[in-house]
């Protein structure tokens, strides 16, 4: 049990304060009860400490890592679907942990909000303290400047009959003007027969520090609020087709922010007229250009282009070129010769020479549904194993090979199916593989009979009239990303502000300087001293430069210069 304070005041030890409390061995020290308000105050102080803010910032960076490892629904919905197919056991676990929606997950949002609150709690008191410090006069000149590490002392000899006090005051006036011209806040302090000026500079360092944290808050606000007005959509456009900016019709995938109303999108149109690619002799693409015709409601059509790293801006949206490839045109006829399927299908490139994989699905018009797994080779060659590949990405020897499957495509059960994949588990393979029937192999313009008398299939030649080669026999497609991000300009602004203010916080020195003049008969003793707040390796040089510049000014003003240095910079 602790002793009451009144008992401790009887101590005879003169070195201890009168309110010292004596504890006997075995005494229990009882801490005061905090109570609910005390615990809330303690928690708030912990949350708003700079240490906590730094820890939360580190946690936010770590929490963002899964977003770059696991596909995100907001950016790659097809990748999420594929991940579920490839990892049926792991994917549901990751989904319960919200790892496919990292940036909108509860745990990421919690870190984000706590960091936001912590920064506000850190910045507001520091801003108030800084504003108060800006209105405070520089501190009084220390009585003994010689105790400071960076100190210099000089003796000025006066002309006979000169008033030493007046000359000392004038010397301090000159020093004050020099310091003020150097960006210092100055204040005169004259006392005990001595004249002095106190100067202070470097508040931009703390200002930069505060602006840096305010800029971080600005980034958080811009990302948090601006992200709600952001949307991203993807669309594959084949040459000669048109895209309409409408969620209900033309987007392959669309990921809106929480404040986006899909019904209010500007219904502009984009038509892919031609996709040009220039290939080097090594097969590497030198340039990609998508020639577009765009039209805003109520306006004339405009010719535009989209290149890699050169997006198209239209109605506040940015249209980026993500990828490209070939889109063969295929026609399927039934045994009677009637067309039951005709479409241009984008094929997904599998290598740098654009060996491409595609799936053709014929749901109606034949006795059974057909699924065709196809490979397209722009410049077909045979490997040593007998398999085909493409030797060059341009259309030199275009060939389309097809393995035909018959059975239920699984599109009538109401479950969404990818247009780039074919589930063959419930289907019968008719060509290729172990069927004993060769895969169908077609060049542009050729037709082949389907197995079991199902009809025929044609690989249409898309070459324009008068073409002499196969360089334009297959249409191309462009994969586009349509993106609107209202937060991006604000994030850039706050990021630049943060970088600029950080430079101030790192490179602007915070220091105090003093010049003191003491009259002594026919001489005036001058003292120069400086004190830095934090590391300042240039302080000694600054004191030396001030003493030299001040001495030169005194000589020009008619006083004798410093006669001798009785103490140099330590």
């Amino acid at each position: 049990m602790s002793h009451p304070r009144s008992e401790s005041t009887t101590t005879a030890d003169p070195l201890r304060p009168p309110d010292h409390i004596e504890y006997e061995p075995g005494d229990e020290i009882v801490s005061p009860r905090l109570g609910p308000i005390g615990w809330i105050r303690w928690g708030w102080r912990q949350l708003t400490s700079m240490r906590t803010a730094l820890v939360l910032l580190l946690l936010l960076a770590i929490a963002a890592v899964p977003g770059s490892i696991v596909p995100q629904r907001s950016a790659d919905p097809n990748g999420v679907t594929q991940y579920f197919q490839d990892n049926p056991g792991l994917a549901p676990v990751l989904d319960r942990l919200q790892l496919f929606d990292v940036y909108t997950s509860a745990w990421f949002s919690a870190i984000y909000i706590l960091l936001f609150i912590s920064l506000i709690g850190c910045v507001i008191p520091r801003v108030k303290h800084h504003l108060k410090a800006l209105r405070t006069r520089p501190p009084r000149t220390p009585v003994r400047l010689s105790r400071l590490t960076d100190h210099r002392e000089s003796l000025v000899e006066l002309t006979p009959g000169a008033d030493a006090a007046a000359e000392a005051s004038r010397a301090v006036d000159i020093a004050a003007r020099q310091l003020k011209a150097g960006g210092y806040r100055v204040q005169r302090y004259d006392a005990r027969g001595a004249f002095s000026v106190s100067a202070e500079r470097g508040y931009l360092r703390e200002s930069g520090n505060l602006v840096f944290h305010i800029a971080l808050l600005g980034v958080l606000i811009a990302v948090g609020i601006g992200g709600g007005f952001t949307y991203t959509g993807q669309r594959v456009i084949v040459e000669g087709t048109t895209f309409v900016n409408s969620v209900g019709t033309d987007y392959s995938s669309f990921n809106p922010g929480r404040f986006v109303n899909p019904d209010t999108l500007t219904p502009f149109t984009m038509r892919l007229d031609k996709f040009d690619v220039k290939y080097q002799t090594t097969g590497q693409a030198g340039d990609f250009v998508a020639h577009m015709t765009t039209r805003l409601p109520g306006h004339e059509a405009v010719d535009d282009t989209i290149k890699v790293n050169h997006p198209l801006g239209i109605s506040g949206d940015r249209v980026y070129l993500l990828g490209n490839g070939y889109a063969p045109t295929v026609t399927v006829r039934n045994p009677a010769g009637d067309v039951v399927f005709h479409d241009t299908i984008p094929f997904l490139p599998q290598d740098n020479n654009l060996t491409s994989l595609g799936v053709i699905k014929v749901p109606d018009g034949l006795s059974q549904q057909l699924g065709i797994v196809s490979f397209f080779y722009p410049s077909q060659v045979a490997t040593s194993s007998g398999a085909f590949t493409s030797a060059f990405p341009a259309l030199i020897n275009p060939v389309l090979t097809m393995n035909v499957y018959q059975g239920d495509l699984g599109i009538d059960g109401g479950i969404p199916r990818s247009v780039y994949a074919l589930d063959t588990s419930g289907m019968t393979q008719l060509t290729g593989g172990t069927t004993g029937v060769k895969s169908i192999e077609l060049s542009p313009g050729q037709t082949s009979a389907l197995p079991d008398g199902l009809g025929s299939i044609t690989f249409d030649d898309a070459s324009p009239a008068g073409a002499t080669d196969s360089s334009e026999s297959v249409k191309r497609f462009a994969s586009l990303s349509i993106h609107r991000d209202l937060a991006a300009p604000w994030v850039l602004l706050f990021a630049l502000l943060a970088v600029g203010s950080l430079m101030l916080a790192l490179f602007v020195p915070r220091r105090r300087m003093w010049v003191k003049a003491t009259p002594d008969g026919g001489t005036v003793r001058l003292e120069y001293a400086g004190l830095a707040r934090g590391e300042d390796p240039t302080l000694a040089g600054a004191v030396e430069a001030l003493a030299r510049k001040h001495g030169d000014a005194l000589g020009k003003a008619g006083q004798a210069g410093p006669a001798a240095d009785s103490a140099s910079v330590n």
Side-chain angles (χ1 to χ4, degrees):
M1 187 70 183
S2 63
H3 296 286
R5 187 175 297 273
S6 60
E7 296 180 9
S8 63
T9 59
T10 60
T11 178
D13 191 344
L15 300 180
R16 291 182 174 179
D19 60 348
H20 175 72
I21 300 176
E22 290 283 353
Y23 291 99
E24 299 294 338
D27 283 353
E28 180 184 359
I29 301 176
V30 180
S31 300
R33 294 182 180 274
L34 289 179
I37 302 300
W39 281 110
I40 293 174
R41 185 181 294 112
W42 178 85
W44 173 255
R45 288 176 177 173
Q46 298 302 312
L47 177 61
T48 56
S49 68
M50 187 57 66
R51 180 183 302 173
T52 302
L54 292 175
V55 171
L56 289 172
L57 189 61
L58 177 62
L59 286 177
L60 190 70
I62 295 174
V65 171
S68 61
I69 298 176
V70 180
Q72 300 296 294
R73 285 192 175 92
S74 59
D76 188 12
N78 292 329
V80 175
T81 302
Q82 187 65 42
Y83 196 94
F84 270 85
Q85 294 176 357
D86 297 340
N87 305 275
L90 179 61
V93 177
L94 299 182
D95 197 21
R96 284 194 294 271
L97 295 174
Q98 299 179 302
L99 291 182
F100 296 112
D101 303 279
V102 167
Y103 306 111
T104 57
S105 63
W107 47 272
F108 189 87
S109 300
I111 299 174
Y112 187 92
I113 293 172
L114 286 175
L115 176 61
F116 185 76
I117 296 173
S118 180
L119 284 175
I120 291 177
C122 289
V123 168
I124 291 179
R126 291 179 62 185
V127 169
K128 294 171 62 178
H129 178 76
H130 185 55
L131 292 177
K132 182 179 179 181
L134 289 176
R135 297 191 297 268
T136 304
R137 296 187 304 174
R140 286 186 172 274
T141 305
V143 176
R144 296 179 179 85
L145 290 177
S146 58
R147 290 185 175 182
L148 298 178
T149 302
D150 296 298
H151 170 261
R152 182 179 178 85
E153 186 175 317
S154 299
L155 189 66
V156 177
E157 294 183 356
L158 304 178
T159 57
D163 185 350
E167 294 299 330
S169 179
R170 191 157 64 95
V172 171
D173 287 338
I174 294 173
R177 288 195 296 269
Q178 290 179 336
L179 288 168
K180 192 171 184 179
Y184 287 84
R185 293 190 304 139
V186 299
Q187 182 67 38
R188 280 287 298 267
Y189 291 106
D190 301 336
R192 298 179 182 178
F195 303 86
S196 68
V197 61
S198 177
E200 191 172 21
R201 65 171 292 182
Y203 277 94
L204 276 178
R205 184 186 188 97
E206 179 65 12
S207 299
N209 199 349
L210 291 174
V211 172
F212 172 75
H213 288 86
I214 293 172
L216 288 183
L217 282 173
V219 170
L220 292 178
I221 294 173
V223 172
I225 298 179
F229 294 94
T230 298
Y231 64 78
T232 301
Q234 288 81 35
R235 175 63 179 175
V236 172
I237 307 180
V238 178
E239 286 179 330
T241 62
T242 300
F243 163 80
V244 180
N245 188 38
S246 173
V247 175
T249 56
D250 268 14
Y251 274 102
S252 302
S253 63
F254 186 75
N255 304 287
R258 64 187 65 190
F259 306 127
V260 174
N261 183 359
D263 297 330
T264 61
L265 301 183
T266 303
F268 61 81
T269 62
M270 296 189 300
R271 175 185 174 88
L272 178 59
D273 299 319
K274 186 174 179 58
F275 192 89
D276 285 335
V277 185
K278 296 180 181 179
Y279 293 108
Q280 301 175 3
T281 55
T282 58
Q284 184 177 0
D287 194 16
F288 301 96
V289 182
H291 298 276
M292 313 290 295
T293 299
T294 62
R295 184 193 295 270
L296 286 167
H299 293 75
E300 296 293 328
V302 178
D303 293 333
D304 284 307
T305 59
I306 307 176
K307 299 181 180 181
V308 177
N309 298 326
H310 292 82
L312 167 67
I314 179 171
S315 187
D317 291 358
R318 305 285 283 178
V319 184
Y320 297 87
L321 178 62
L322 297 183
N324 68 94
Y326 289 101
T329 303
V330 175
T331 300
V332 177
R333 294 177 172 83
N334 62 16
D338 301 323
V339 175
V340 296
F341 178 86
H342 177 78
D343 200 3
T344 301
I345 305 113
F347 277 41
L348 299 180
Q350 305 296 303
D351 57 30
N352 292 333
N353 289 326
L354 294 188
T355 298
S356 304
L357 171 65
V359 172
I360 304 168
K361 298 180 181 180
V362 186
D364 303 306
L366 300 177
S367 58
Q368 292 194 52
Q369 294 180 340
L370 287 186
I372 304 173
V373 179
S374 306
F375 278 93
F376 174 68
Y377 308 95
S379 301
Q380 185 201 47
V381 293
T383 64
S384 57
S385 64
F388 294 140
T389 189
S390 179
F392 198 75
L395 294 172
I396 298 176
N397 179 33
V399 172
L400 184 67
T401 62
M402 294 172 278
N403 287 339
V404 182
Y405 293 82
Q406 178 180 271
D408 184 12
L409 292 173
I411 60 177
D412 299 326
I415 301 175
R417 302 285 182 175
S418 172
V419 295
Y420 301 108
L422 178 65
D423 183 5
T424 61
S425 57
M427 306 186 75
T428 302
Q429 186 171 358
L430 302 180
T431 64
T434 60
T435 61
V437 180
K438 292 183 62 177
S439 299
I440 297 175
E441 184 177 330
L442 298 175
S443 295
Q446 292 183 344
T447 300
S448 176
L450 292 170
D452 296 345
L454 293 173
S456 64
I457 185 168
T458 301
F459 179 14
D460 295 346
D461 190 342
S463 299
T468 58
D469 55 25
S470 59
S471 60
E472 297 181 88
S473 59
V474 182
K475 293 182 179 180
R476 300 197 69 128
F477 73 83
S479 177
L480 304 179
S481 174
I482 298 91
H483 184 69
R484 168 166 288 191
D485 188 358
L486 298 181
W490 292 100
V491 171
L492 176 61
L493 173 64
F494 286 120
L496 293 176
L497 186 62
V499 173
S501 58
L502 185 60
M503 295 299 102
L504 289 177
L506 291 177
F507 297 113
V508 173
R510 176 79 180 274
R511 61 169 66 128
R512 291 170 179 169
M513 301 284 280
W514 293 278
V515 178
K516 187 176 182 180
T518 306
D520 186 10
T523 62
V524 174
R525 184 163 55 92
L526 296 176
E527 294 181 84
Y528 308 90
L531 181 65
R533 183 172 181 178
E535 293 292 331
D536 187 358
T538 63
L539 180 61
V543 174
E544 178 72 23
L546 174 62
R548 184 173 57 254
K549 185 177 180 181
H550 186 242
D552 294 341
L554 290 178
K556 291 180 181 179
Q559 293 181 358
D565 291 339
S566 59
S568 60
V569 178
N570 295 327

